[in-house]
Amino acid sequence: MTRASLFAAAILAFLPTPATPAPPPVREVSVSARLISNAAAIAPGTPFLVGIELTMGPGWHTYWKNGGDAGYATSVEWTLPEGFTVSELRWPVPHRYEDEGEIVSFGYEKKALLLAEVTPPEELSSESGEIVLRADTDWLQCRDLCTPGSALLVLRLPVEETARPATGRIADAFREGIARVPLSEASLPGLTVRPFQSVDAVVPGDSVRVAAVLSGLVSVASDEVEFFPGPSDELWFRDALIRWDGENLGVVIPVEVDLSAESGSTLILTGTLRIPTDAEPLLLDIALPVRIAASAHTPSPTPAAVFSGGGNLLGETRAASGQSLLRILLLAFLGGIILNVMPCVLPVVSLKILSFVSHAGEDPRKVFRLGLMFAAGILVSFFVFAMAVVAMQAAGEQVGWGFQFQNPVFVAVMTAVIFLFALSLFGVFEIVLPVSFGGGRERGAYADAFFNGVLATILATPCTAPMLGTALAFAFSQPPGVILLVFLVIGAGLAFPYVLLSSHPAWLRFLPRPGTWMETFKQFMGFILLATMVWLLSVYGALTGPSGMTWFLAFLVLLGFIAWLHGRFLGLASSTQRRLIVWGVSAMLLAWGYSGLLSGTMEPEDGAHTGGVEVTKGGIAWEPFSHEALDRAMADGRTVLIDFTADWCLTCKVNEKTVLADADVEAKLHEYNIVTLKGDWTRKDPVISEVLRRHNRSGVPFYAVYPAGRPEDVIVLPEVITRGIVLDSLEKAGPSRSGRSAEDAS
């Protein structure tokens, strides 16, 4: 190299180098689509297949015809030449995706071919040259996030006298795609599918187990069988239970029927099975009937032996749920015990303690018999209550715990009974019960114990105790025998403390000795019963309105006058003539009071109890609950607190006054900008009943927190709440993501 060239190179080294043009950015392909056909040329009247071929980029997926919890299906709108027809899409078997929060979806990755059969008209002329098919296709594509995708796909095919099949890669794509499409039962002559249903007919809103038993299979690994539920607006599915006994494959699918299902109809549960075998997996479409009725479900006849060695399929599933039934019965018993300390039952509990005091020191056998009579009153009442539930379900009614307090006639009768009972404690008159009821020697002692048991049961029904909600939700969705069993176990739990105490009279020594103080205590309890009556009156007014309340108060004044007549003019030594006169006057006054004061005023009054925005002392705005309000709040990125209550639910009122009105709770609701929705179940509301059933609850109170952006992570609170429970739930859910203020939301 010369000295000049070295000098030039040195100069060039210090000069700026022109920038090298950057390569064009590589555009990542998420999902691409094309329209292909297994025919290279079509002929008049000869069907051929077309396919929407979706090719997904790395990590991307699209969705099956049932997208599951988080996706929606690909849709195709066809534009065909005149006279052409196209079938519904034939979907290949999907993959199952499980995301955080137990979100399950069904879809495809890498490549999927959605097939359809196109039939040309017979009069199509081969001289027409070619035809054009258009498919306007929309899909949802997801990886770390989801975005919609779409494409207008066009396919041109020549028309010839004889159809010609496609070859090469197109033919390979169709062979692979067809192999992934499930078969029907009819296309497999060696296979039989027998449907079963765990009950003869299921009431809309209830649950049922639907089973398919497949015979004719050689070898199946049941733990590798997959079931993909088809789309449905009226049936809600859970994971299937798979069983293989060496000869038959059983698939049991728990199903919840939507309230919108038409009574007396038959819905079809569709789905796809992927069954691994020694050869290629068997892909099978199944369709099972779900019979809907307006009556409560009745156990269906036990089907003939399905499994050669293990009994029938439904019997096996019932046996598998036996342990859960034992757990439910334990919860029912413990919940019944806890009912004794709920606000509803406390007046009767106090009277029962007074009864124990009055009989302290007497024959222990008599004390024990009195305890048994009290328990008998409870158990008989729960038996009658269970039979009423069964009868109402048979009539097509949707009932829940405390449903009778939604009936103004029942509330009126209960109020009148409590009022008369209070007057008797004040000494206005004496309730004279049968002398020897239950074999007692003293006047009315056993009848009094039995009546107290009945009263305790009736007052307990609007209360929902911890652990009791789960047991009741289970019972209300079961056949009559299970309903009766669960209710009797609840009654046994409610009666257990009294039977235990009466069987050990020595334990009563801690109670004060009988004396004049008992009369004062009895009159004091009369005021407690009057307070209970005021609560019942508020329920009655909520059901019938101010007018109904006014006329019922007038009737109670008349009832009090009748009680005074009995106390003033009747006694143990009264003659028969005097008794007949007083009873006759009382009967005429009652008849006049009912016809003149109550007749026509005890029906639920339209608009007597309408929902609205209720602002608490601390300024929390409770909006009326509706699905639309919940969906709107969740779409706005808000955290939502739901409170389902009723005027007849004392537990609800205690929770509202002591917990929800707590300053720290209210401050947290405002700080987190939480939407508060209140549902009123004082009167029948099928929307609230449906939500309760979805969360395995049968009554109120019900509290749930829906976290912002995570509605699937709903937090259900216990029936009896505390300040700490509510605050912890709100912390776990987190604040709203929306910047709107609470005032704007309301």
Side-chain angles (χ1 to χ4, degrees), residues 250-330:
V251 182
V252 183
I253 307 144
V255 177
E256 293 182 16
V257 181
D258 195 83
L259 281 172
S260 63
E262 181 181 355
S263 299
S265 63
T266 298
L267 303 178
I268 302 299
L269 184 158
T270 62
T272 299
L273 284 168
R274 183 183 182 276
I275 307 172
T277 64
D278 292 337
E280 292 294 321
L282 174 61
L283 311 177
L284 180 68
D285 277 337
I286 59 174
L288 305 174
V290 180
R291 296 178 295 277
I292 311 298
S295 60
H297 32 225
T298 348
S300 58
T302 301
V306 174
F307 294 146
S308 57
N312 62 75
L313 175 61
L314 297 183
E316 183 164 312
T317 58
R318 291 193 188 105
S321 64
Q323 292 182 354
S324 62
L325 177 60
L326 291 177
R327 175 178 174 272
I328 290 297
L329 294 179
L330 177 61

Side-chain angles (χ1 to χ4, degrees), residues 141-158:
Q141 53 198 24
C142 296
R143 190 168 67 177
D144 298 326
L145 52 82
C146 294
T147 59
S150 63
L152 178 57
L153 307 177
V154 178
L155 177 64
R156 300 177 183 274
L157 292 173

Side-chain angles (χ1 to χ4, degrees), residues 543-665:
L543 294 172
T544 63
S547 176
M549 166 80 87
T550 301
W551 289 111
F552 184 59
L553 286 173
F555 177 80
L556 289 180
V557 173
L558 178 64
L559 194 63
F561 176 73
I562 294 172
W564 176 81
L565 285 179
H566 280 254
R568 177 66 180 82
F569 295 105
L570 290 183
L572 296 178
S574 299
S575 65
T576 302
Q577 181 180 6
R578 173 174 286 197
R579 290 179 183 277
L580 291 176
I581 292 174
V582 174
W583 289 346
V585 171
S586 299
M588 288 188 295
L589 288 175
L590 278 176
W592 176 81
Y594 175 77
S595 61
L597 300 176
L598 294 185
S599 181
T601 68
M602 299 180 71
E603 294 296 325
E605 180 177 300
D606 292 337
H609 200 268
T610 57
V613 176
E614 174 190 347
V615 181
T616 66
K617 184 178 179 180
I620 299 175
W622 291 95
E623 302 176 49
F625 172 83
S626 67
H627 286 304
E628 293 76 13
L630 177 60
D631 292 343
R632 183 171 58 252
M634 297 306 299
D636 288 343
R638 308 289 295 279
T639 296
V640 180
L641 170 66
I642 290 178
D643 171 15
F644 286 170
T645 183
D647 286 343
W648 40 260
C649 173
L650 283 182
T651 306
C652 304
K653 301 304 179 186
V654 172
N655 288 341
E656 291 169 5
K657 298 297 183 183
T658 61
V659 178
L660 295 181
D662 180 83
D664 291 339
V665 172

Side-chain angles (χ1 to χ4, degrees), residues 166-181:
T167 58
R169 293 183 178 179
I170 297 294
D172 293 340
F174 274 92
R175 274 193 296 271
E176 294 174 4
I178 292 173
R180 293 181 58 188
V181 173

Side-chain angles (χ1 to χ4, degrees), residues 211-214 222 241-245 248-252 306-307 313:
V213 179
L214 287 71
S222 60
L241 175 68
I242 311 294
R243 290 286 186 268
W244 168 255
D245 72 338
N248 303 280
L249 178 68
V251 182
V252 183
V306 174
F307 294 146
L313 175 61

